[in-house]
Amino acid sequence: MKAPLSWIKDYVDVPAHVTTDELTRRLTLTGLKLEAVESPGREITGPLVIGRVLTMEPEPQKNGKTINWCTVDVGDANGTGEPQGIVCGAHNFAPGDLVVTVLPGGVLPGGFAIGARKTYGHLSAGMICSARELGLGEDHDGIIVLPPDAGEPGQDVRPVLGLDEEVIELEVNPDRAYALSLRGIAREALVSVEGADRFRDPAVRDTPAPNADGHPVVVEDPAGCPVFVARKVTGFDPTAPTPDFMVRRITAAGMRPISLAVDVTNYVMLETGRPIHGYDADKVQGAIVVRRAREGERLTTLDGTTRELDPADLVVTDDSGIIGLGGVMGGETTEMSGSTTSILVEAAHWDAVSMFRTGRRHKITSEAGRRNERGVDPTICEAAADRVVELLVEHGGGQAHPGVTVVGSPPAVPAIRMAADLPQRVAGLPIDSRTVVASLQAVGCRVDADGADVEVVPPPWRPDLTDPQDLTEEVIRLVGYDAIPSVLPTPPSGRGLTRAQRLRRRIGRTLAGEGFVEVVSFPFVGASDLDDLGLTADDPRRDLLELSNPLNAEAGFLTSTLLPGLLRTAGKNVGHGNDDVAIFETATVTLPRHAGPAAILPVDRRPTDEEFAALDAALPAQPLHLAVVAAGDADSGGWWGESRPVTWADAVEAVRSVAAALGLEVTASAVELAPWHPGRCAELSVDGEVVGHAGEVHPTVCQAFGLPKRSVAAEVDLDLLMARAVDLRRAPSFSSYPVAKEDVALVVDTGVPAAEVEQALREGAGELLESIRLFDVYTGEQVGPGRKSLAYALRFRAPDRTLKEGEAAAARDSAVALAAERTGATQRA
Amino acid sequence: MSGPNTDYDPVEVTPLKADEVEAMREAALAAIAGAADLAALKQVRLDHAGDRSPLALANREIGALPPQARKEAGQRVGQARGAVNQALAARQAVLEAEHEQRMLAEETVDVSLPTTRRRRGSRHPLTLQSELIADLFVAMGYEVAEGPVVEAEWLNFDALNLGPDHPARTMQDTFWTEPAEDHVVLRTQTSPVQARTMLTRTPPIYVVCPGRVFRTDEYDATHSPMFHQVEGLVVDEGISMAHLKGTLDHFASQLFGDGITTRFRPSYFPFTEPSAEVDVRCFVCRGGDGVAECRTCRGEGWIEWGGCGVVNPRVLVACGVDPEVYSGFAFGMGIDRSFMFRHHLEDLRPLFEGDVRWNSAFGTEI
Ligand SMILES: [Zn+2]
């Protein structure tokens, strides 16, 4: 809300020593935060003075235009006292008129510097200004002609035009709708500025009594429209201009001047907070009826949009049908125009919830709607309508019609009972009951003390005050939030981070230690992202939760896998020249359960455990995933030797490192799954449960994401991994007896997984086996086609004795025997 | 060993004469001193201390002397041999040391060569910021609570005193999911975690809830459809705004520096009443002499940090906490925003672009 300072001061006296800074600081500290202080003339510098046109000579030009060569008296403002010669293209003035003159050295809005320049054969030393050139709105017809009593030539013209006016912009929270008016802001200044005095309420005025001569109005839905006031002005001059002060104030408040009739309704809305609607009275046919819309009804609103109405919409009708969407926007058929001479003024109070719903339903945001849906003082309809009539008559030359229609009455405001010591308990600051009463009275409440309690009736402009806690805020903000002491509470002893929280940190640190850089991606994906991953049509990861209102239609779903985002990010890095990239992300993914609606539960009690459990069950599954992607070199080359490019094994190893950090061992087995290379994808399991996949990314997928071939990736379900994490690890003990080493080389078919051979060796070797390590894999002539040789180093040791001669060899032989039996392995000669 | 040589006349055995033995010893010591390297010393050892060396031969002659002469000759030769062996050992040590020194000198490398073969990893600055904040509160005795990102509408709004027709719902531009009648949203705030906490724990409750939240804001230098918040919730007997102020002052000084405090301004949030905006004292100019030129706070001396207030009793009721017995406070700050002004970042987008050069600038702890 933008408010010119002079307008505020129309309604409240602020001590002269209170600067704008101090005033806005106080308003900020009591809840109306200063956004900005503006001045309409802030972009204008240099001499801008009143000039009196002495002579003007029209000079037709070759281009068909006629310019005026003028001499202008600018007093001593030009330093010489001589008349100033100025070329002017406008014609709406005459010698003797007072005009706005900018002299050489002045700068107008937009950085437009004024100098003396040769033009049309004259030396033009300055400019006679129009409203637009001064940033004061659109031109009507040419330059500004000041009233004859505006001042003397040479005087600074800024105060005359209000260019030095300070306009303060305040942030108004939804609970303070009353501050969307000068009335409300002035009242806040009164209660928050020390020494502010004499509040003059613009909504308090003598209004004519209701009578039967007004326009007939029937309200069929008093709950939706508790008060409807109608007044009429006749004989209005539609060509009458809006007075300058009104244009300036409306413009300063951020609205656009349109015509006198519209400007007056807006002016009174800004003044009182009460939205007003004006109809062309001659176009209204018969009695006005306020009701809810009926199924199928339509209305073309002022903005030219034809709207399908909802039975919950409040409408204003006449004999012709619907003429307005009550409180939200008027209809086209009764709109005031350039020929309107008779105006029907509506000041009605509308149900805020209904306003909110209708505004949202029809996507209409307007100054009137903003106020109506937040709550307006229902008691000022008559005063506001009367003020509109007064201004229309005063500036538009009309007559006030004697008829005054008032239907309904403002709803009563219920009293709130509050313990007088509640504010001090809430604030943690002593606040005596006298201060409580005085503060509440200051904001307009009626307060009766009743023992330890107070009975409070909030003022009609504060529909937000409904609970004792609301009153408490009023008291504390007037006492001052800065008076609240700083006291640390004493929590009970905490239990620290949860196990899952600690494990997640451990996982992040492990991956960082492995050289991966953590990234954070948005979870939005589209079907094309999954196509890029190469997912088949029936891949379960294609089951996505759809957003109703995505920012980007191409990414309208919540992702079920972290890979698209991570591959995209890796590709972007490569595109930026970060050729060797290794990144990871941990985040939840969304897996729809299609479990039906999450209920909207009551709020006046705790949900039952069953209700709460049902809420959770209705949400999609959101397991925590980890994904890694790497491309380029794992180890860089240099003076020490060649670089080592990343391989599928790096992806598997990343997961193994994470698992090891959790005390787990991962088993890998071959599987075919997008987006991986069909021959280079590992399904990763822990204790027989599949936790994720890793391997080389399919070359087509690499291409789709802008990654080099042989890039690698892994994705695992961290919830599954963390659930199995070893909790308390036992202290190990190692045998100090001598070790016996045996090497074996086994030849198997290439299709036999090394993991199976190793498993057989382990089982066959028995308890004496301490460790086994695959140290070489050989394929080639020596073992023949379709075969491979796996060379293992076995270490044997007993916990309690030195192994006897031949004991290790025997264990080795039984290991080889089992491997032979299970995998067809033969010992290499 | 040969037996005593009885054929010799003792006076005729010249090698055992004192001056002869002395000459042998002198010759040996001179040769030792003159050995330039270990190989030369090896030869000297053979020549002067080996089996065929003059002193060894002389020693062999001792047995041939008459018993009365043996003692003296033996002493003389023994002393000479001892001196030679000692000199050999000393020279050996010197030459070995010299050799090692030379070898080490030859093995000198250029230690300024680059050594980094492996990529360095790092954690995301927002993860780190979030953990740092969690740790500050854990140190105070709080616990860290969490909840789902895709959340029930009731928990995101209704339970927090944001009814279906509450104007404040339009303040938060919510991502809704299909079908709309499922009443499921992307949480717009971490506050549903507060509701979940009250629904699943009994007071006293002291928790912080860091996490991702979503609003339908177009992505630009100061807005992102996804960002991170940390909220705090305390529910206990006798909790007041003074406790809230104390907690946030402490939080501010821990995060931004000693002596940094907060300022409350009245505001409006449906789930708190009274509500306040929290400004934190600008940690660059501290509102002092440089405030007018300060870019961090734009001359205000204060930086908007977050919102807070006393938990609205209506929220306590919906979450099963008796407002007659307990009161509470809640606060919420942007983690991204806190990070941005703590680290002088003006455009938030690098946080979500994933450029490894940028992300890795913060290492593994901030
Ligand atoms: Zn500053």
Side-chain angles (χ1 to χ4, degrees), chain A residues 249-540:
Chain A
R249 284 185 165 179
I250 289 175
T251 308
M255 297 185 74
R256 209 161 49 87
I258 292 164
S259 67
L260 175 61
V262 174
D263 294 347
V264 164
T265 59
N266 284 336
Y267 186 80
V268 174
M269 175 178 74
L270 292 167
E271 191 175 64
T272 64
R274 161 60 62 198
I276 311 277
H277 187 67
Y279 300 86
D280 185 328
D282 295 332
K283 295 178 188 163
V284 177
Q285 301 166 26
I288 280 180
V289 175
V290 178
R291 60 169 171 82
R292 300 277 171 178
R294 294 176 191 128
E295 201 74 58
E297 283 185 319
R298 291 156 166 267
L299 169 68
T300 303
T301 41
L302 285 178
D303 57 359
T305 308
T306 301
R307 301 172 188 276
E308 194 84 40
L309 301 181
D310 186 277
D313 290 333
L314 282 161
V315 292
V316 180
T317 67
D318 68 0
D319 292 351
S320 73
I322 299 175
I323 58 172
L325 205 44
V328 176
M329 196 177 270
E332 221 171 28
T333 58
T334 54
E335 184 178 3
M336 295 187 292
S337 69
S339 57
T340 298
T341 56
S342 187
I343 298 169
L344 184 65
V345 178
E346 167 208 299
H349 185 68
W350 305 93
D351 172 54
V353 169
S354 187
M355 294 298 102
F356 175 73
R357 289 182 182 165
T358 294
R360 208 162 55 157
R361 194 177 295 128
H362 297 290
K363 298 188 169 58
I364 300 175
T365 51
S366 66
E367 291 289 335
R370 195 152 74 101
R371 288 167 175 81
N372 279 329
E373 71 184 32
R374 282 168 170 77
V376 182
D377 185 345
T379 65
I380 61 169
C381 293
E382 286 173 74
D386 192 56
R387 174 73 168 140
V388 169
V389 169
E390 176 187 60
L391 288 170
L392 288 175
V393 168
E394 183 181 344
H395 301 288
Q399 297 88 45
H401 187 279
V404 177
T405 305
V406 178
V407 177
S409 58
V413 181
I416 305 166
R417 200 175 177 81
M418 175 179 83
D421 70 344
L422 183 64
Q424 73 169 8
R425 277 188 280 133
V426 168
L429 165 77
I431 302 173
D432 60 31
S433 57
R434 231 185 33 201
T435 308
V436 171
V437 171
S439 303
L440 291 172
Q441 284 170 338
V443 299
C445 295
R446 223 173 56 226
V447 188
D448 290 310
D450 181 8
D453 290 353
V454 285
E455 282 266 332
V456 182
V457 180
W461 61 86
R462 292 298 303 267
D464 60 304
L465 302 181
T466 58
D467 293 11
Q469 210 80 2
D470 303 326
L471 302 176
T472 294
E473 180 178 80
E474 292 303 304
V475 173
I476 300 173
R477 79 181 177 94
L478 290 192
V479 168
Y481 276 16
D482 47 4
I484 296 169
S486 189
V487 179
L488 273 171
T490 47
S493 308
R495 293 170 294 183
L497 296 177
T498 64
R499 180 171 152 71
Q501 287 158 356
R502 283 183 286 114
L503 291 179
R504 285 206 303 269
R505 291 185 177 194
R506 197 191 292 171
I507 290 165
R509 281 196 287 260
T510 299
L511 285 163
E514 293 291 314
F516 289 86
V517 174
E518 187 178 13
V519 302
V520 171
S521 319
F522 296 156
F524 311 120
V525 289
S528 68
D529 293 297
L530 302 187
D531 295 342
D532 286 350
L533 280 189
L535 300 195
T536 54
D538 59 350
D539 190 299

Side-chain angles (χ1 to χ4, degrees), chain A residues 357 467 486 504 548 606, chain B residues 146 154 165 176 199 249 314:
Chain A
R357 289 182 182 165
D467 293 11
S486 189
R504 285 206 303 269
S548 310
R606 184 193 188 279
Chain B
E146 292 161 323
W154 186 81
D165 293 312
W176 297 85
L199 286 164
D249 280 344
R314 288 172 186 252

